[in-house]
């Protein structure tokens, strides 16, 4: 039976595989995330986690299988088309426009909502001034949420590492996503920054009504934040369940957590 917008499932992957040459990066991948959920995707380095994100966002087209958002296939769509459909992401290695200002980095995410013409932009008349003013106001609100408004005119490359992470999340939220994909957001952070990030993710999920999918190696963050967790090993899901179930799973302990039950 086809899914509709009243269906609890927001994103679904069925029997998905991703093959590079003779290497199966992801094999028989079955996954779903319900609306409003906060789900973790964990596994050792090279397990296929970022490959899964890249398939969800149109960077890679799966070799086989189906991926649906709101019950409709997104396989074969370009990344910008999938962003318009409601998926936004951050990256393991921060990808900001380093030479642009903090404010400009957020304003860029509003580009697909621009209605003024090229002529209006060049001449700075008509809808241009009104729309640009509205975009700047919304961008500054987002920066304020992430305590970056005072750095609005600084170049992004001059921000401290933790602030760059916050800016990347702010830019993702500017796209007004239904689903936010966070690829190792705590990478490179100290314990205090990680605790602040944890509270921020909880807050933005509630404030923006988001569904969140998280890749992360910090197990204290994953176990304390996620309601449900998938575990990947060599491109295959070996476990799925609540944090309590995952922590006790012998396969997970062997493959990832590195201890005895």
């Amino acid at each position: 039976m086809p899914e509709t917008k009243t269906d609890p499932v927001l994103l679904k992957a069925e029997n998905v595989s991703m093959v590079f040459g003779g290497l199966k990066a992801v094999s028989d991948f079955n996954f779903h995330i319900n609306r409003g959920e906060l789900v973790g995707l964990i596994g050792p380095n090279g397990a296929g986690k970022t490959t899964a994100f890249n398939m969800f966002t149109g960077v890679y087209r799966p070799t086989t299988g189906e991926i649906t958002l709101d019950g409709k296939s997104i396989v074969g769509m370009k990344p910008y088309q999938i962003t318009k459909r409601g998926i936004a992401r951050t990256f393991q290695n921060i990808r900001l426009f380093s030479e642009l200002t903090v404010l400009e980095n957020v304003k860029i995410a509003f580009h697909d909502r621009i209605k003024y013409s090229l002529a209006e932009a060049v001449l700075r008349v008509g809808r241009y001034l009104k729309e640009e003013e509205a975009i700047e106001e919304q961008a500054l609100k987002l920066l304020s949420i992430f305590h970056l408004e005072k750095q609005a005119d600084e170049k992004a490359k001059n921000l401290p590492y933790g602030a760059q992470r916050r800016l990347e999340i702010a830019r993702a939220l500017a796209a007004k996503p239904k689903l936010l994909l966070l690829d190792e957001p705590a990478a490179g952070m100290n314990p205090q920054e990680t605790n602040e990030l944890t509270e921020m993710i909880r807050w933005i999920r509630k404030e923006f009504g988001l569904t969140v999918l998280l890749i992360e190696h910090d197990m204290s963050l994953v176990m304390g934040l996620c309601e449900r967790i998938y575990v990947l090993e060599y491109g295959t899901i070996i476990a799925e369940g609540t944090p309590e179930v995952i922590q006790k799973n012998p396969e997970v302990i062997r493959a990832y957590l590195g201890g005895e039950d």
Side-chain angles (χ1 to χ4, degrees), residues 42-44 216-220 222-223 229 231 238 243-261:
I42 68 171
E216 185 52 65
H217 281 296
D218 187 318
M219 286 298 99
S220 61
V222 171
M223 297 299 173
I229 298 168
V231 186
I238 60 169
E244 294 75 22
V245 168
I246 293 300
Q247 288 180 79
K248 295 175 182 177
N249 185 298
E251 283 294 295
V252 177
I253 293 168
R254 175 192 59 76
Y256 191 87
L257 299 180
E260 296 298 326
D261 192 353

Side-chain angles (χ1 to χ4, degrees), residues 92 94 161-162 165 184-191 193-194 197 216 218:
Q92 182 178 349
I94 297 173
Y161 184 85
R165 281 282 178 198
E184 296 200 36
M189 290 188 172
N190 61 41
E193 289 172 329
T194 299
L197 175 71
E216 185 52 65
D218 187 318

Side-chain angles (χ1 to χ4, degrees), residues 27-28 81 86 110 122 134 153 155 158 169 179 200 214 232:
S27 179
D28 197 27
Q81 294 172 317
F110 290 89
V122 171
D153 296 324
K155 285 188 177 182
N158 294 332
I169 295 173
L179 173 61
M200 182 195 305
L214 173 79
L232 269 174

Side-chain angles (χ1 to χ4, degrees), residues 121-151:
V122 171
L123 298 173
R124 295 175 175 264
V125 296
R127 293 170 293 184
Y128 173 82
L129 291 176
K130 185 176 180 181
E131 286 188 32
E132 282 295 311
E133 184 179 330
I135 287 169
E136 182 154 328
E137 183 180 341
Q138 292 176 67
L140 285 169
K141 280 183 182 178
L142 277 172
L143 290 179
S144 177
I145 288 169
F146 290 90
H147 309 296
L148 292 168
E149 69 277 16
K150 290 180 181 177
Q151 289 82 36

Side-chain angles (χ1 to χ4, degrees), residues 57-95:
T57 54
V59 176
Y60 299 152
R61 179 173 183 150
T63 308
T64 60
E66 183 64 276
I67 300 173
T68 56
L69 178 69
D70 271 331
K72 296 179 181 178
S73 177
I74 56 173
V75 172
M77 285 188 174
K78 302 293 184 185
Y80 76 89
Q81 294 172 317
I82 291 176
T83 299
K84 282 186 176 182
R85 289 283 304 275
I87 298 180
R89 72 174 293 182
T90 65
F91 293 86
Q92 182 178 349
N93 300 312
I94 297 173
R95 296 188 188 178

